[in-house]
Amino acid sequence: MIYHELWQSLQGIYDERESRAVVLWLLEVAFGLSHTDVVCGAVERLQDESRRRLKEMMARLQQGEPVQYVAGVADFGPRQFRVSPAVLIPRPETYELCQWIVSGEWRVEREERVVSGEWREERGERRDSILDIGTGSGCIACTLASELRGSKVTAWDISEEALYMAKENARNNGSIVVFEQQDALAPPDDHDRWDIIVSNPPYICDKESDGMERNVLDYEPHLALFVPDNDPLCFYRAIGQYAHKALKTGGRLFFELNAAYADETKTLMEQLGFTNTEIKDDQFGRHRFLKTSRP
């Protein structure tokens, strides 16, 4: 069992570059082997139990299972999160959404809420009340709780399995988050409760599945991925209607978008009464994020 045999066994699924990267990442996170260790022959020197584990993991990879599920963890910015087929694998694009929120570049300096004391910055702390709808692994909620010190973060998901994993990820990352089981399509009747609401909701239409990778279709939870072809904006509409009441005056709503429906989502938010709606591209130039404000 040597390195080049491992990555070559995946070439029916990935190209050479991806095959090498997948195997190197697995060897690092599951066995603690650096790139230098691998080049110097550490794979061949693994003990019998580790060799058995590696063989089982490679068999799963050869069936197309995502390496994050095989390893049981996924990278998200500077943090790692436990994952399983109960939750979506966190994507780098979603961390860009977190960075947009954390950066504060969308904030109005010294706005009236600061002067009135309703919203404060003290010693670099932003004391926002934040809701993450459809938290999955908890990657957004935990990131915001860790990087916006002093904020009070709540996270919803309809799945008990997802909430169990999200709670574990919060403990592992030292993030203080309140988790609640809640259906985003049937939210409570809240008013003036949140400063920020953020969501990466299901947004892929059934008809789009033909162009998707098999490792996504076969392994990631369809509950968190798909919406009906005849109502692709159902979650955006429900969350937008809730947010228009539940956000405080001047509060912000952030979404990750299906780029194919970015303009339609922007129009929907404006029809619901939001203002200052902005679409932001991801690192690949796709219309991926939306920010809007409750007037």
Side-chain angles (χ1 to χ4, degrees):
M1 187 181 295
I2 57 179
Y3 168 58
H4 81 265
E5 292 175 342
L6 295 176
W7 67 257
Q8 286 178 349
S9 72
L10 300 181
Q11 285 203 267
I13 301 170
Y14 306 103
D15 62 28
E16 179 177 336
R17 182 188 61 81
E18 290 176 310
S19 298
R20 289 176 179 271
V22 163
V23 172
L24 284 173
W25 189 82
L26 179 67
L27 291 171
E28 178 182 355
V29 300
F31 299 94
L33 301 180
S34 69
H35 192 175
T36 301
D37 294 331
V38 174
V39 171
C40 293
V43 177
E44 295 95 304
R45 296 192 295 273
L46 288 173
Q47 298 298 311
D48 288 346
E49 175 59 22
S50 294
R51 292 172 67 84
R52 182 192 63 78
R53 283 181 57 221
L54 179 57
K55 183 177 181 180
E56 292 176 352
M57 289 177 165
M58 290 303 302
R60 292 168 64 183
L61 290 176
Q62 289 160 10
Q63 293 299 312
E65 185 172 354
V67 65
Q68 293 91 342
Y69 288 155
V70 173
V73 296
D75 293 328
F76 189 73
R79 299 171 182 85
Q80 274 195 342
F81 289 82
R82 281 207 60 212
V83 293
S84 77
V87 299
L88 290 180
I89 297 167
R91 263 62 173 189
E93 295 91 337
T94 305
Y95 186 65
E96 291 184 62
L97 175 61
C98 293
Q99 290 178 302
W100 193 20
I101 298 171
V102 170
S103 72
E105 66 184 51
W106 46 271
R107 296 178 184 274
V108 177
E109 290 295 327
R110 306 303 300 170
E111 58 185 338
E112 290 182 4
R113 291 167 58 217
V114 177
V115 176
S116 69
E118 182 183 341
W119 181 90
R120 304 184 302 279
E121 282 197 51
E122 299 173 357
R123 300 182 303 280
E125 295 185 356
R126 293 169 179 158
R127 301 186 181 277
D128 291 312
S129 57
I130 301 173
L131 174 63
D132 172 27
I133 298 180
T135 196
S137 67
C139 60
I140 292 176
C142 293
T143 296
L144 297 181
S146 297
E147 298 188 16
L148 290 176
R149 294 176 298 145
S151 294
K152 296 181 179 180
V153 180
T154 301
W156 291 352
D157 206 286
I158 195 172
S159 165
E160 290 185 10
E161 291 178 283
L163 288 170
Y164 179 86
M165 183 151 290
K167 291 175 183 178
E168 184 173 349
N169 282 324
R171 287 193 297 268
N172 292 343
N173 283 286
S175 306
I176 300 175
V177 179
V178 176
F179 292 98
E180 299 176 355
Q181 187 172 21
Q182 176 64 55
D183 184 354
L185 297 179
D189 187 26
D190 291 328
H191 294 266
D192 303 306
R193 182 177 178 185
W194 312 102
D195 294 291
I196 297 170
I197 295 176
V198 57
S199 183
N200 178 18
Y203 59 61
I204 300 172
C205 293
D206 292 328
K207 64 185 178 184
E208 296 179 88
S209 64
D210 290 343
M212 295 176 64
E213 299 290 341
R214 296 306 309 175
N215 58 354
V216 175
L217 284 173
D218 293 345
Y219 292 96
E220 298 205 52
H222 285 203
L223 180 67
L225 286 171
F226 291 105
V227 289
D229 289 344
N230 64 354
D231 194 8
L233 302 184
C234 58
F235 281 93
Y236 295 100
R237 183 183 307 106
I239 294 169
Q241 290 170 341
Y242 169 75
H244 198 263
K245 297 182 299 180
L247 281 170
K248 299 174 185 177
T249 300
R252 268 71 170 194
L253 172 62
F254 290 85
F255 280 125
E256 183 166 327
L257 301 174
N258 182 337
Y261 294 96
D263 291 337
E264 289 89 336
T265 308
K266 181 176 185 289
T267 299
L268 173 62
M269 293 303 111
E270 292 168 346
Q271 290 172 345
L272 290 174
F274 288 93
T275 59
N276 301 316
T277 304
E278 177 185 351
I279 292 174
K280 187 179 179 70
D281 289 354
D282 63 18
Q283 61 185 309
F284 304 108
R286 293 187 293 253
H287 292 344
R288 183 61 65 195
F289 315 114
L290 180 143
K291 180 270 299 178
T292 195
S293 303
R294 180 193 167 182

